[in-house]
Amino acid sequence: MSRLIKEYKTINAQDDILLFPETADNLNNWTAMITGPPNTPYEGHDFKLYISIPDAYPNSPPMVKFHREAMPHVNVNYETGEICLDILKGEWSPVYNLLYTVQSIERLLSEPNADSPLNLELGILMREGDKTAYDSLVRYYLQRQK
Amino acid sequence: MKVRVKEVYPIFAWSWDTYTESTDLHNNDPLHNKYPNKINNETYTFLKNYRNDIDDVCGICRVSYNGVCPNCKMPGKSCPLVVGTCNHNFHYHCIYRWLDTVNSKGLCPMCRQEFTLKPDVVINAKHTQKFMELISKNRERRLMMEREERELNDDLNMDEEDEVTRDAIDNAAGATEAWTQVPQDISDEEEDMTYDDPIE
Amino acid sequence: MAPSGRRTSTSRLIGYGAALTIAIGTTAWLLWNSSKDEDKDMRATNTSQLYKSKCIIVTNSASDSPNIKWAKILADPNVVLIIPPKVEFPQSAYENHVVDSKDIYKIIHCNTMAGVWACVKSLKKDELVLNSNDLGENVPVDIVRYVKHISNVEDMTSVLDEVE
């Protein structure tokens, strides 16, 4: 737990990062805001991440989700917001921290991975190499939510 | 001039002897080779480690090597430091707890090589036995996981030869694919499909 | 002391009675009213649109037609257009193609036919409108699992009437 307090202090000292615990006296649940990377269909949109910290942290990875039905992405289950990312599963290392995790998810938006699709249709579009359709469909979902 | 010493405040500092490559470093460093007698090897190592240890923290708990892991109160003997063969240092308690998880697969959190204690490092000596046990436990775990995976693949291959099972898998896959919209009534749907202009 | 006490209890009793009557009355009225609303809703769905949302695959015969008012069709929040490969859908070639910029996101362009079907499956609209003669390939058999109804129309102009 004391490591989380350290992370909290570091993150708090930087004002350009939108990563904060739900309440200052409970560091088990965090929220983060990430911005859609430029030159992706996510550009111009912000996304909220829900982070919950397991007791075994940092020996177990944090559990991170998008809001349900908010993230059309090949590695995200659209219905539940569940994310498929190696460092959130088997490739986790205790030297990673919350900030690194959030940054990795931000990177996932510009680097989708067709090998582990949680969104089957977007997976097909990626494997077919139909980037036009992928971007169009993603934009449709994002715009529709507004 | 006469100076009278009134009081003396001795100051001590200690640091874990993570001494690893510093001998080579020292010998190859022209700055120190110029004055080989002014600063002896041991002092150099100590100073180097001490300086590094101020910046260097255990990658797992983010506390200085000379500090304590989250579960300890007194730095020093009760919360020792260990040095890996890969030259990554951790509090003994931190790295042990990590390597004891299934997640770790026995790998160093920094470089993802199998974590073993660096031989011939004084501070490692006390822990060699315990880490050897942990390493063999992790190797066994890995072998077991590989075996399970192989068996699972074999099972899947066998199923594919079996018509009935394959149909069952197909149906299951179909069910997960159509997550949101469950067709309300299959017979209804089939009626709908008889449009005026049938699709070839 | 005693008579005044009795009077209070009597008036209290009357008060309770009145309150109870009002409560029952209101409940009954509310129930009746809501059932009337329900009737109205049922009638609306039965008469107007059976399938609320539509996914239209725009093929050449439709995109070339100057009579289809795409802007009007796309103003419907439940309509999506899918443009298959090699189909031109110039957004300003004809007057009827000038789509409001806030609706442009509802036009999904695809470079492959596999992409077209993946989009249809993802969108899961109630009705899929297409012209199979134009498409030049069969509708995949599993599409029926993702839409409630497939309308195969020769002349896309009729789509407009349906939407209106």
Side-chain angles (χ1 to χ4, degrees), chain B residues 174 177-181 183-184 189 192-193 195 197-200, chain C residues 51 124 126 130 132 138-139 144-150 152 154:
Chain B
E177 264 175 289
W179 358 266
T180 35
Q181 203 152 351
Q184 301 142 313
E189 206 179 57
D192 284 343
M193 290 307 297
Y195 9 80
D197 186 10
I199 296 165
E200 287 93 47
Chain C
Y51 304 110
K124 298 184 188 69
D126 292 345
L130 52 86
S132 63
N138 292 344
V139 177
V144 294
R145 283 213 306 260
Y146 301 86
V147 295
K148 283 184 191 155
H149 180 76
I150 299 179
N152 189 10
E154 283 276 285

Side-chain angles (χ1 to χ4, degrees), chain C residues 34-47:
Chain C
S34 69
S35 71
K36 210 172 62 174
D37 280 352
E38 234 165 65
D39 280 356
K40 225 185 285 164
D41 286 347
M42 290 280 275
R43 233 174 295 136
T45 42
N46 284 342
T47 49

Side-chain angles (χ1 to χ4, degrees), chain A residues 2-3 6 58-61 78-79 89-97 118-121, chain B residues 59-63 70 90 94 97-98 101 103 105 108-110 112 173 176-177 179-180:
Chain A
S2 77
R3 193 184 110 169
K6 257 180 202 304
N59 283 334
S60 292
Y78 188 67
E79 307 295 305
K89 306 208 164 109
E91 292 302 301
W92 172 256
S93 158
V95 301
Y96 299 153
N97 55 20
L118 282 183
N119 185 321
L120 298 177
E121 285 80 23
Chain B
I60 299 177
C61 68
R62 307 289 155 101
V63 173
F90 302 97
C94 294
R97 221 174 293 133
W98 164 244
T101 65
N103 271 353
K105 301 179 199 111
C108 168
M110 304 289 271
R112 300 203 171 277
T176 41
E177 264 175 289
W179 358 266
T180 35

Side-chain angles (χ1 to χ4, degrees), chain C residues 3-142:
Chain C
S4 94
R6 202 178 301 132
R7 200 169 35 218
T8 340
S9 73
T10 319
S11 63
R12 200 182 287 158
L13 208 65
I14 292 167
Y16 282 150
L20 198 69
T21 320
I22 290 166
I24 291 170
T26 321
T27 321
W29 182 77
L30 279 174
L31 278 173
W32 178 74
N33 227 28
S34 69
S35 71
K36 210 172 62 174
D37 280 352
E38 234 165 65
D39 280 356
K40 225 185 285 164
D41 286 347
M42 290 280 275
R43 233 174 295 136
T45 42
N46 284 342
T47 49
S48 67
Q49 289 168 346
L50 188 57
Y51 304 110
K52 263 188 90 185
S53 59
K54 272 186 178 52
C55 171
I56 305 170
I57 300 181
V58 181
T59 38
N60 278 320
S61 67
S63 74
D64 292 344
S65 163
N67 300 323
I68 303 174
K69 296 196 174 79
W70 293 114
K72 205 165 185 181
I73 293 173
L74 277 168
D76 184 331
N78 296 313
V79 167
V80 186
L81 302 189
I82 296 183
I83 319 292
K86 296 192 198 99
V87 174
E88 292 283 313
F89 191 79
Q91 266 151 35
S92 52
Y94 316 106
E95 208 176 315
N96 62 55
H97 280 188
V98 182
V99 172
D100 194 313
S101 62
K102 71 167 173 34
D103 292 325
I104 282 182
Y105 76 92
K106 293 179 209 157
I107 306 170
I108 298 173
H109 293 266
C110 298
N111 277 342
T112 60
M113 276 315 286
V116 169
W117 301 123
C119 287
V120 172
K121 287 181 187 176
S122 173
L123 293 164
K124 298 184 188 69
K125 297 293 180 194
D126 292 345
E127 187 181 9
L128 172 65
V129 182
L130 52 86
N131 179 344
S132 63
N133 291 341
D134 270 8
L135 270 182
E137 74 165 77
N138 292 344
V139 177
V141 283
D142 60 342

